[in-house]
Amino acid sequence: MQFQYNEEQALFKDSLKKFVDDNYAYESRCKLVDSAQGYSEAHWQKLAELGVLGLPFAEEYGGFAGDLPFLTAVAEEFGRGLVVEPFFSTVVLAGQLLASAAPDSIKTELLPKVADGTLKLALAWEERGSRGNPGRTDCTVVDKGDRAILQGEKLAVLGGGSADAMLVTARTDEGKLALLLVNAGVPGLTIKPYALVNGSRGATLSFSDVEATVLQTDALALVQACLDRALIVLCAEALGAMDALMANTLEYSKTRQQFGLPIAAFQALQHRMADMYIACEKTRSLLWAAIQADAQGDCRRAASVLKAEVGSGGRYVGQQAIQLHGGIGMTDELNVGAHFKLLTQIDILCGNRDFHLQRLSDLAEVH
Amino acid sequence: MSVASDQELEKFRLEVRAFLETAPTESILEAGRKTTSVFAPFAPTMAWQKILSDKGWVAPSWPKEFGGTGWDVQQRYIFAEEYNRLCLPPLLPQNLQMVGPAVIGFGSDQQKAELLPRMLSGEDFWCQGYSEPGAGSDLASLKCRADKDGGDYVLNGSKTWTTYAHHANKMFALVRTSSEGKPQRGITFLLLDMNLPGMEVRPIIGLDGCPEQCEVFFSDVRVPQCNRVGNENEGWSVAKYVLEFERGGSTFAPWLNPALERLRQQCGKPLSAQGERLIDDPHIRRRLAALEVDIQAVEHTEKRVNASLKHGENPGPMASLIKIMGSEVMQSFSELQLDVAGLDALPVQREALEIGATPGDIVPEAHSLAMPYYLNTRAASIYAGSNEVQRSLLAKAVLGL
């Protein structure tokens, strides 16, 4: 049973920690978030050099065949450092789904470019009405023989503005979930990019008679399996943010003086920080449980358990970190608020706590 | 317990409703809808204050002789209910609930005559110079110095969390005039203009990306001694009086009830062409109901405490109970509102939230408010005496611990 990173994974995690420490001082991160593009091409190239962008792919596609803990190691460091480059959307969501759903010719063409940093991808699946359920879409695709035509709208597509190509889910005439590949410049596709609350970028994608390549006509199981693995990585990012909030709050409580004492001396606040610590440790345990479940071939329940816990535990740690920092926690001048916003965003993405509790209930069998 | 009969109260309600339904302009209504914290958008809210001031309804809690309405607590509660039912922008509390009561309680006749009418009309807008970087929950430890020199005080130091200082032309401040004895002794309550030489205002960007709070720096700022309210070194009594007024003036339930109803109606709208509605989800229904229970508890605690007060009395330490309950239910409400908005809460929509902006086409307006409201409402358990300080106060003053 694995409950911590092995030596190789830990070394890799250290290299990412160094990347974050060297490039992600909070002031530089603020400048990056406010820039037109919202992330740094130079950072992206560094991530390619570090092997992050090809991490999960097979070696024949320019990857390193790193298993799930390598991805969660990256995500923890990115959550701690508030990294905004579109790693999750390009590699974890779209890259992994492409690797499991696309024919070899497309993988050979695209994955090496993802790995070397010359191609960005996005996965467009969430909609206003999907509420966490990938099987539920209003987008439609019609097969016209030589081509497929896509209609509909996707909301808050992570990295949707910077992607060169995107994977899109849509309903077929038979009511199945199809998976399509769409190029960013194709006629009929409108991309409205915007900043998301955590400072990264997303976009609304509107498809009006858009020509698309069909990768799969019945892809729900593939999409779901990919999302479950991605959930684990997303929650590792949340854990990185929670650990950072814990450390920063602890530090602040020892230096902030009120009533002639450091506020850490007050028992009410000591108990609050003990509860924050408990929330972090619960998430860490469930993260490793999900990693083990994935290694054993079925992480559906473990992924939902983890995501539901991150929803409430992340909310608690974020809210209490703000509360214990007081007024300064309500500003954009410290990274506390940015970690809090990241955790808030993670709860909403890919099905919130309520959705995953419902899914767990649905997966449970009653005899 | 009531001065007016039920019939008279109902008549009063209809009179209030008739005016509030017709008086606000379009941009005032827009400001009400787009309020994402306790501080409504400045310009339209001040325009609305002028309209209410002309009507004589701007300061229900003030004594009638200084421009109050002469309403009893029940009438004031009814006014708040009707006001919030229409989602009107809350008036900024600095003039009406903070500096006004201080001047009424402790000001000279000249200060009252000169300043109160301009506070009511909004001709002056006052900001609160209380907190400092090192003095938050422990306000009495404040250090901003006021040294006597001739007929002036000379101010050096800084203030922070000064809401809307960048809009204000006046400030009321607590400053240190003596360091002898207990820290509460030696604090003086001062009034000053914002354009004095040596003052600098720096807006602070909040979690929602907007400047609401400010830091204010003083470097040899000269304020005439006649701008003092109350006695020198006795400003703490003035501040305590105002803080109790600030807490006692809070009416959470009249705001929460219609907000919950709007959220429930929002859940009744179809999510997409397929027609599913959140209100059909049993879990959402139960969460709405649970919030209703919490809000009822706030409403009936507010009413019960109000009913026990004689005219002009403050609720004393029971104000702490209401502040804790009300602020925490506001926070639960903001969480449910966020969950209802779902993905729509993620895109940052700052431009679309400005008054007069063309509606954004990314997400529905109601959903674009959910995230800034959630983020800003985290402050409700920090400002006006943090909930930790309030709990200590309850333990000490009510439970006798």
Side-chain angles (χ1 to χ4, degrees), chain B residues 38-204:
Chain B
V38 284
F39 301 105
F42 184 73
T45 300
M46 294 311 284
W48 176 226
Q49 175 162 338
K50 180 78 174 69
I51 293 173
L52 282 170
S53 163
D54 290 345
K55 175 76 178 170
W57 284 4
V58 76
S61 58
W62 286 23
K64 199 163 173 96
E65 54 183 308
F66 298 116
T69 52
W71 297 336
D72 65 16
V73 279
Q74 285 174 314
Q75 285 173 308
R76 279 154 57 182
Y77 206 81
I78 288 172
F79 181 76
E81 285 177 331
E82 290 300 317
Y83 191 101
N84 287 292
R85 196 177 57 82
L86 294 165
C87 197
L88 297 169
L91 296 182
L92 297 165
Q94 289 91 331
N95 285 17
L96 303 168
Q97 285 168 257
M98 298 175 183
V99 68
V103 169
I104 290 170
F106 295 86
S108 66
D109 289 343
Q110 196 190 341
Q111 284 170 334
K112 287 177 193 165
E114 230 170 73
L115 301 175
L116 294 179
R118 297 163 63 94
M119 290 177 192
L120 291 168
S121 66
E123 201 173 340
D124 289 333
F125 177 70
W126 292 79
C127 63
Q128 183 194 49
Y130 276 19
S131 297
E132 295 178 9
S137 287
D138 182 12
L139 186 60
S141 68
L142 63 90
K143 290 196 171 68
C144 185
R145 256 176 45 224
D147 300 320
K148 268 193 201 163
D149 183 44
D152 293 339
Y153 288 112
V154 181
L155 269 57
N156 280 289
S158 72
K159 292 290 175 183
T160 193
W161 317 129
T162 308
T163 307
Y164 282 180
H166 55 317
H167 293 307
N169 65 326
K170 303 264 188 186
M171 172 187 268
F172 57 101
L174 293 177
V175 292
R176 178 145 312 275
T177 38
S178 163
S179 349
E180 283 164 29
K182 277 175 66 181
Q184 285 84 350
R185 294 279 309 168
I187 290 172
T188 296
F189 194 104
L190 270 192
L191 307 176
L192 53 143
D193 289 332
M194 289 297 285
N195 60 1
L196 297 174
M199 273 179 86
E200 192 196 331
V201 176
R202 186 182 74 90
I204 302 171

Side-chain angles (χ1 to χ4, degrees), chain B residues 180-377:
Chain B
E180 283 164 29
K182 277 175 66 181
Q184 285 84 350
R185 294 279 309 168
I187 290 172
T188 296
F189 194 104
L190 270 192
L191 307 176
L192 53 143
D193 289 332
M194 289 297 285
N195 60 1
L196 297 174
M199 273 179 86
E200 192 196 331
V201 176
R202 186 182 74 90
I204 302 171
I205 304 300
L207 292 182
D208 65 346
C210 299
E212 190 176 270
Q213 310 297 320
C214 297
E215 263 186 293
V216 182
F217 301 93
F218 303 90
S219 171
D220 291 328
V221 174
R222 300 189 80 89
V223 180
Q225 285 183 32
C226 62
N227 279 20
R228 196 179 65 220
V229 176
N231 294 330
E232 190 172 84
N233 296 334
E234 290 176 15
W236 190 253
S237 315
V238 184
K240 245 178 84 176
Y241 174 82
V242 172
L243 268 176
E244 275 175 22
F245 206 94
E246 183 183 351
R247 284 173 201 150
S250 300
T251 43
F252 289 100
W255 184 87
L256 284 162
N257 274 314
L260 177 67
E261 189 50 32
R262 283 192 292 274
L263 185 60
R264 193 176 264 137
Q265 295 310 317
Q266 189 67 35
C267 292
K269 292 185 180 151
L271 285 170
S272 78
Q274 290 188 33
E276 316 99 306
R277 306 179 312 162
L278 285 177
I279 198 69
D280 299 322
D281 174 349
H283 188 67
I284 290 281
R285 294 171 75 90
R286 201 160 298 178
R287 284 185 65 186
L288 286 163
L291 201 53
E292 189 178 330
V293 173
D294 292 339
I295 296 172
Q296 289 278 307
V298 173
E299 176 179 341
H300 293 285
T301 305
E302 284 182 328
K303 285 183 170 166
R304 193 162 61 89
V305 170
N306 280 346
S308 71
L309 298 178
K310 293 197 189 71
H311 198 77
E313 246 181 20
N314 278 332
M318 286 303 269
S320 294
L321 176 85
I322 292 175
K323 198 267 170 172
I324 295 167
M325 286 173 68
S327 59
E328 291 177 0
V329 178
M330 270 171 69
Q331 292 178 333
S332 312
F333 170 81
S334 76
E335 290 178 14
L336 182 52
Q337 181 174 254
L338 187 69
D339 286 344
V340 164
L343 276 190
D344 275 332
L346 294 182
V348 175
Q349 296 289 286
R350 266 198 293 280
E351 288 82 15
L353 286 177
E354 279 169 20
I355 305 301
T358 41
D361 58 352
I362 306 290
V363 300
E365 184 183 279
H367 288 180
S368 66
L369 301 161
M371 185 62 77
Y373 184 78
Y374 172 70
L375 298 174
N376 289 332
T377 303

Side-chain angles (χ1 to χ4, degrees), chain A residues 28-254:
Chain A
S28 338
R29 194 253 183 195
C30 290
K31 277 189 198 133
L32 196 55
V33 163
D34 289 337
S35 68
Q37 197 174 22
Y39 67 91
S40 152
E41 273 305 328
H43 289 172
W44 195 248
Q45 285 315 313
K46 268 183 218 155
L47 291 175
E49 288 159 25
L50 286 168
V52 171
L53 303 185
L55 196 52
F57 311 136
E59 284 166 16
E60 58 189 298
Y61 304 117
F64 300 90
D67 51 11
L68 190 54
F70 280 96
L71 289 173
T72 61
V74 175
E76 280 192 49
E77 290 304 326
F78 282 12
R80 182 179 68 83
L82 297 162
V83 171
V84 288
E85 274 71 27
F87 159 75
F88 183 71
S89 52
T90 294
V91 178
V92 180
L93 282 174
Q96 293 203 101
L97 186 53
L98 194 82
S100 72
D104 200 52
S105 58
I106 292 182
K107 288 199 275 190
T108 309
E109 186 196 341
L110 300 184
L111 289 180
K113 290 184 186 165
V114 172
D116 72 14
T118 51
L119 186 83
K120 292 187 197 73
L121 299 174
L123 170 61
W125 72 275
E126 294 209 77
E127 301 172 18
R128 183 162 293 127
S130 61
R131 307 288 301 183
N133 179 3
R136 161 66 184 75
T137 173
D138 286 327
C139 288
T140 57
V141 60
V142 178
D143 190 355
K144 302 266 188 189
D146 57 334
R147 64 213 166 96
I149 302 297
L150 176 63
Q151 314 279 356
E153 188 174 279
K154 299 286 184 184
L155 181 61
V157 177
L158 303 176
S162 57
D164 304 293
M166 39 278 251
L167 301 183
V168 185
T169 56
R171 196 156 28 90
T172 66
D173 289 341
E174 292 83 41
K176 300 271 198 259
L177 190 78
L179 184 67
L180 311 154
L181 181 63
V182 175
N183 283 317
V186 73
L189 167 59
T190 312
I191 301 175
K192 284 182 209 151
Y194 36 71
L196 298 173
V197 67
N198 81 324
S200 72
R201 300 297 167 98
T204 294
L205 308 186
S206 307
F207 306 93
S208 171
D209 291 329
V210 167
E211 235 177 79
T213 307
V214 179
L215 298 179
Q216 298 274 342
T217 52
D218 186 3
L220 182 56
L222 276 179
V223 171
Q224 186 67 71
C226 170
L227 284 177
D228 283 338
R229 277 173 65 89
L231 277 182
I232 300 170
V233 180
L234 188 63
C235 290
E237 189 178 350
L239 179 61
M242 290 162 76
D243 283 340
L245 285 171
M246 182 74 233
N248 289 338
T249 305
L250 201 55
E251 176 67 28
Y252 183 77
S253 73
K254 291 177 189 167

Side-chain angles (χ1 to χ4, degrees), chain A residues 238-239 241-247 273-287 309 313-314 316-317:
Chain A
L239 179 61
M242 290 162 76
D243 283 340
L245 285 171
M246 182 74 233
M273 285 187 278
D275 285 337
M276 290 170 69
Y277 177 72
I278 291 169
C280 292
E281 293 310 304
K282 278 162 82 176
T283 295
R284 201 178 325 280
S285 303
L286 294 177
L287 172 66
E309 175 55 33
Y316 181 78
V317 170

